[in-house]
Amino acid sequence: MTLQEILKAAFSDVYEVYGGLTFPQVVVIVIAAVLCGGMICLTYRLSYRGALFSRSFCVSLFALSVITTLLIMAVRTNTGLYISIGTLGVLSVIRFRATMKEPLDMAYIFLSVTAGFICGSNLLGIALPGVLLVCIILGVAGRLPRLKSPYILMVTCDPARESKVREIVSAATVSARLKSKSVLNGSLELTLEVRLKDGNDAFLSELSSLDTVTAATLVRSNTEYI
C-alpha cells in the first residue's frame, strides 16, 4: 500500500473513523474538553489553600481532561459508551506515584477524567454545565474559612513537677488533652493537644523557665491527616 492510499484510508471517511462523528463535531468536542479542563485548572488555582502550590499538578488536571477525551473518541463504536466505560476501568490500573498533599486533589483528578469521559462521549450538554457546577462547588468549598487547628505540646520535665506543668498549661489554654505520657531515665515526657487563647503562646516561655523542665516544644497539628 502506497503512502497516498494510507493517507486516503485514514482521512477519507472521518464518519467511520470517529464512530459517527464528523470532523467538525470532533473539533467542537475537543474545544469543549479544553474549556472543561481550563475551568478545572482555574478553579484549582483560585481555591488552593495549601502551603506549596504545584503548577505541574494544575497543568496535569487540564491535560487529563483533553487526553481522556481523545482516548474515549478513539474507541467510539456503535456501543461506544459501554466500551468507553471499559476503557476507563483499564485506566484505573494506573497508579499515581505522586503523594496527594491535599485530599481534595483526588476529587480534582477524578473530575478531570470524568470531564474527558463525558466530552469524548459527545454529551456536551452534560459536560459543560456539569463541570461548571462542580467547579463552583469546589471553589466555594475551598474558600470557606477553616477552623483553627490545635497545637501539640511536648514537655520533658521532672515527674515530681507534672502537676505544676499541667497547671500552667491549663491556665494558659482553652483546652488541654493528654495524648501520651511516658517516663524514661527519670524524665517525664508529656504530649498534650492544646488550643491556645487568641494564639497566645507566652506560656511556653514560662514553662521553659522552670528548672525541672528540660524541653518544651509547641507544633501545629493538622487533624485532617493521620
Side-chain angles (χ1 to χ4, degrees), residues 186-225:
S187 295
L188 174 66
E189 294 183 356
L190 291 174
T191 303
L192 302 101
E193 181 183 276
V194 300
R195 293 186 180 274
L196 305 181
K197 294 180 179 179
D198 299 325
N200 187 1
D201 58 359
F203 72 97
L204 199 62
S205 299
E206 184 179 356
L207 285 176
S208 301
S209 65
L210 297 177
D211 295 335
T212 55
V213 174
T214 57
T217 306
L218 186 68
V219 295
R220 182 181 290 275
S221 171
N222 191 337
T223 56
E224 292 182 356
Y225 307 100

Side-chain angles (χ1 to χ4, degrees), residues 24-79:
Q25 287 177 310
V26 172
V27 174
V28 172
I29 290 174
V30 173
I31 292 175
V34 170
L35 291 176
C36 289
M39 285 190 292
I40 296 170
C41 184
L42 181 62
T43 303
Y44 179 79
R45 180 66 185 93
L46 295 178
S47 62
Y48 185 76
R49 299 285 297 275
L52 297 175
F53 172 76
S54 175
R55 183 175 180 273
S56 61
F57 180 78
C58 187
V59 174
S60 297
L61 293 176
F62 175 80
L64 268 175
S65 61
V66 180
I67 293 171
T68 307
T69 297
L70 297 177
L71 178 62
I72 297 303
M73 284 196 299
V75 297
R76 282 180 60 92
T77 63
N78 292 333
T79 57

Side-chain angles (χ1 to χ4, degrees), residues 54-186:
S54 175
R55 183 175 180 273
S56 61
F57 180 78
C58 187
V59 174
S60 297
L61 293 176
F62 175 80
L64 268 175
S65 61
V66 180
I67 293 171
T68 307
T69 297
L70 297 177
L71 178 62
I72 297 303
M73 284 196 299
V75 297
R76 282 180 60 92
T77 63
N78 292 333
T79 57
L81 182 60
Y82 304 103
I83 294 181
S84 298
I85 295 175
T87 304
L88 191 61
V90 173
L91 289 176
S92 66
V93 302
I94 299 176
R95 297 171 60 187
F96 292 94
R97 295 293 183 179
T99 302
M100 296 292 102
K101 295 185 291 295
E102 295 284 341
L104 202 58
D105 289 355
M106 188 58 66
Y108 278 100
I109 291 176
F110 188 70
L111 176 60
S112 294
V113 174
T114 301
F117 169 70
I118 299 176
C119 288
S121 300
N122 197 23
L123 301 175
L124 305 186
I126 298 176
L128 292 174
V131 171
L132 178 60
L133 176 61
V134 176
C135 284
I136 292 175
I137 294 174
L138 291 177
V140 172
R143 301 303 299 178
L144 291 175
R146 296 183 178 181
L147 296 176
K148 292 183 179 180
S149 300
Y151 286 80
I152 296 298
L153 175 64
M154 294 169 286
V155 181
T156 303
C157 64
D158 189 325
R161 300 303 302 272
E162 178 185 356
S163 58
K164 179 62 175 178
V165 171
R166 298 285 292 271
E167 180 184 339
I168 294 175
V169 173
S170 298
T173 60
V174 176
S175 64
R177 292 193 304 167
L178 181 65
K179 305 293 289 186
S180 68
K181 177 180 178 180
S182 61
V183 179
L184 180 64
N185 297 329

Side-chain angles (χ1 to χ4, degrees), residues 1-18:
M1 182 179 290
T2 64
L3 178 61
Q4 182 178 0
E5 292 174 337
I6 294 174
L7 294 176
K8 182 177 181 181
F11 294 101
S12 60
D13 193 356
V14 293
Y15 183 85
E16 181 179 352
V17 171
Y18 293 108

